[in-house]
Amino acid sequence: EITAALKGMGPYKTCTNDLRAAKYDQAVKDAQLGLAAYPASTLNRLCILTAYNQMKPAPTDSIIAISEAILAKDPTSIIALNSAAEAYTAKGDKDKAIEYNLRIWRADPSNTTIANSIVNTLATSGSPDKAIPIIDTLLAQNPGDPAMLDTKWKLLLNAKRWKQAIAAGEELVK
């Protein structure tokens, strides 16, 4: 297996050199040669994904396809999850973008940036019930954070959970 994997390393190195030189189309071709030499290569898939992400305009369908191929081998690849989420956002598919952002958050619950992004997206998309568990996790990590308490209070109000909203509001003004 190691001998087979090494067959894909030469094209991968060429792909990364092409990326540095901003030759994105060539990088994709080189990484595809690496996949032909070693079809299980995640490194070559990541190189293709990086090239696609650098292209202007970004080929969103291709980004999604290669991200899915990476996630089939490594379901917690933050790079692939983030790329897929951004591609779905660019396509206007907010539900799929949220799904991938939730997967990122589940893979790394300490990532407050992505958690806040998810909470805000869910809150504005009319799904406050889905955002409440995330904000609760954030508050467990950062107890008493006024911005998070304010967000939780607003989410509870939007979800029409009046008693919980009152309790969150009281905690906010302490």
Side-chain angles (χ1 to χ4, degrees):
E1 185 67 24
I2 293 173
T3 304
L6 289 174
K7 291 177 184 176
M9 289 307 295
Y12 170 73
K13 288 179 184 178
T14 306
C15 177
T16 56
N17 289 336
D18 290 337
L19 289 174
R20 287 186 198 103
K23 298 177 184 175
Y24 305 123
D25 290 328
Q26 187 60 44
V28 170
K29 290 176 187 172
D30 290 333
Q32 287 170 338
L33 290 173
L35 286 174
Y38 182 60
S41 174
T42 300
L43 287 174
N44 280 297
R45 284 182 178 82
L46 285 167
C47 196
I48 292 170
L49 180 60
T50 303
Y52 285 158
N53 281 326
Q54 297 301 317
M55 291 177 178
K56 302 293 180 223
T60 54
D61 290 330
S62 297
I63 289 171
I64 291 166
I66 198 73
S67 294
E68 287 297 332
I70 293 165
L71 293 167
K73 302 273 185 199
D74 179 7
T76 59
S77 169
I78 300 297
I79 296 168
L81 290 168
N82 188 57
S83 293
E86 288 178 2
Y88 279 118
T89 299
K91 286 181 70 163
D93 191 339
K94 192 180 279 190
D95 291 337
K96 280 297 231 183
I98 290 170
E99 174 189 327
Y100 280 85
N101 279 321
L102 284 170
R103 287 177 64 182
I104 293 169
W105 179 69
R106 286 186 196 109
D108 182 10
S110 65
N111 188 333
T112 56
T113 303
I114 195 69
N116 283 322
S117 171
I118 294 167
V119 167
N120 291 332
T121 302
L122 289 170
T124 59
S125 70
S127 303
D129 287 324
K130 292 180 182 176
I132 293 169
I134 298 169
I135 200 73
D136 285 341
T137 301
L138 289 172
L139 280 166
Q141 294 169 356
N142 303 294
D145 182 292
M148 289 184 203
L149 285 169
D150 181 60
T151 301
K152 181 176 180 175
W153 174 61
K154 290 174 183 172
L155 288 170
L156 290 167
L157 288 172
N158 287 335
K160 296 180 176 43
R161 295 186 189 179
W162 310 120
K163 288 182 182 179
Q164 291 174 308
I166 291 169
E170 287 174 351
E171 190 176 347
L172 178 61
V173 295
K174 286 181 184 176

